[in-house]
Amino acid sequence: MILYVFHTPELVPDPATTSQEPDCAVVIDVLRATTTIATALSAGAEAVQVFAELGELEAVSQNWPSAERLRAGERGGQTVAGFDLGNSPLDYTPARVAGKRIFMSTTNGTRSLQRVQNTPVVLTAALINVGAVVEFLLAQSFQQVWLIGSGWQGSFALEDTVCAGAIIHRVQVAGQDPQLANDEAVAALALYQQWQDNLLGLLQKASHGQRLLGLSSDYLEDLTYCSRLNLLDSLPRQKEPGVLML
Ligand code: 3SL
């Protein structure tokens, strides 16, 4: 398996100008979109449908029965006014989301998903579901897999890179010897090896962790949850462009 890591969606090669194509894209936004997606689906949400733009989300979600939908919106770490939910994974309880379609837009994570939505297989990963992601990757015979961080508005994010490193580490521990095809993949593995025993400490140091804690110290609960390795056996997978299901 050839593994590439891209720190942000902007660094992903443009399908229109490259012949390079992965068999599988794994989108990562540990703080917090992909942690929330894994949690929502594990809590029984019917699907999570993602949008880069809030206007498009509002238009498409109108066509869904109102009792069976929830609108989730985050900008700058805060819930979008008038939406049912923000992006705290802790709000996605079975009582709230079971049977519902979640129409979601976040600052960075949903943009990353949109960037690779034409890849044959698209998964989402967070620290809480790395085991399920790696189990799936090992069971397939993918030639080339891209691990894509969401970053923050075009910049590198420690938490997404450490998750990419955790995936690479698990693939190696399982006895596979993946080819680490770019420097980012080597660096991601090194970051994970350095921080694997203190993932919460890394999330607290990360600029987006700091941003969230600056909004409210209550977000420490979110960071703690997002740092828990392999908590859920949940594998969100794109079933049609922009629609993730188990
Ligand atoms: O950028 C994103 O997509 C979000 O996950 C950011 S936040 O953690 O909800 O602030």
Side-chain angles (χ1 to χ4, degrees):
M1 189 191 311
I2 302 174
L3 286 173
Y4 282 84
V5 171
F6 299 103
H7 292 316
T8 66
E10 290 78 6
L11 292 169
V12 170
D14 181 351
T17 58
T18 181
S19 54
Q20 213 184 348
E21 261 199 51
D23 312 291
C24 174
V26 181
V27 172
I28 304 168
D29 186 11
V30 169
L31 292 175
R32 294 167 291 173
T34 57
T35 302
T36 297
I37 292 168
T39 304
L41 292 174
S42 164
E46 178 261 336
V48 179
Q49 185 163 356
V50 297
F51 298 84
E53 304 301 331
L54 293 169
E56 195 195 352
L57 181 161
E58 287 180 299
V60 173
S61 62
Q62 296 279 19
N63 302 325
W64 205 261
S66 57
E68 293 166 27
R69 71 169 184 234
L70 289 168
R71 292 176 174 139
E74 167 277 328
R75 287 295 180 269
Q78 319 256 35
T79 303
V80 175
F83 276 54
D84 303 302
L85 289 158
N87 196 22
S88 172
L90 302 176
D91 292 338
Y92 288 69
T93 59
R96 198 79 204 277
V97 305
K100 304 272 167 83
R101 177 162 292 212
I102 316 284
F103 293 86
M104 171 186 271
S105 179
T106 69
T107 309
N108 304 286
T110 54
R111 281 191 316 117
S112 304
L113 279 159
Q114 202 165 53
R115 177 86 172 138
V116 292
Q117 67 181 11
N118 295 321
T119 306
V121 178
V122 178
L123 311 174
T124 69
L127 291 169
I128 62 167
N129 72 332
V130 283
V133 170
V134 171
E135 204 177 300
F136 178 81
L137 294 179
L138 293 173
Q140 310 296 313
S141 38
F142 293 134
Q143 283 282 310
Q144 194 175 132
V145 176
W146 290 2
L147 307 177
I148 301 158
S150 298
W152 183 263
Q153 298 182 337
S155 306
F156 171 90
L158 281 170
E159 66 276 12
D160 296 340
T161 304
V162 85
C163 181
I167 292 170
I168 296 169
H169 178 76
R170 275 186 174 250
V171 170
Q172 288 184 334
V173 167
Q176 287 228 357
D177 188 17
Q179 183 187 330
L180 304 187
N182 60 1
D183 289 0
E184 290 89 331
V186 177
L189 178 61
L191 184 71
Y192 177 71
Q193 285 168 330
Q194 183 167 349
W195 284 90
Q196 58 186 313
D197 297 326
N198 186 14
L199 292 167
L200 176 58
L202 185 69
L203 266 53
Q204 286 174 293
K205 203 178 255 300
S207 57
H208 190 47
Q210 299 261 322
R211 187 177 297 111
L212 289 170
L213 291 170
L215 291 172
S216 165
S217 56
D218 292 350
Y219 278 136
L220 182 56
E221 264 190 85
D222 279 36
L223 265 62
T224 304
Y225 179 79
C226 293
S227 72
R228 294 182 64 187
L229 196 62
N230 212 17
L231 178 69
L232 299 180
D233 189 23
S234 166
L235 183 65
R237 181 169 174 182
Q238 182 178 263
K239 294 289 153 67
E240 58 186 85
V243 179
L244 297 148
M245 293 181 173
L246 291 184

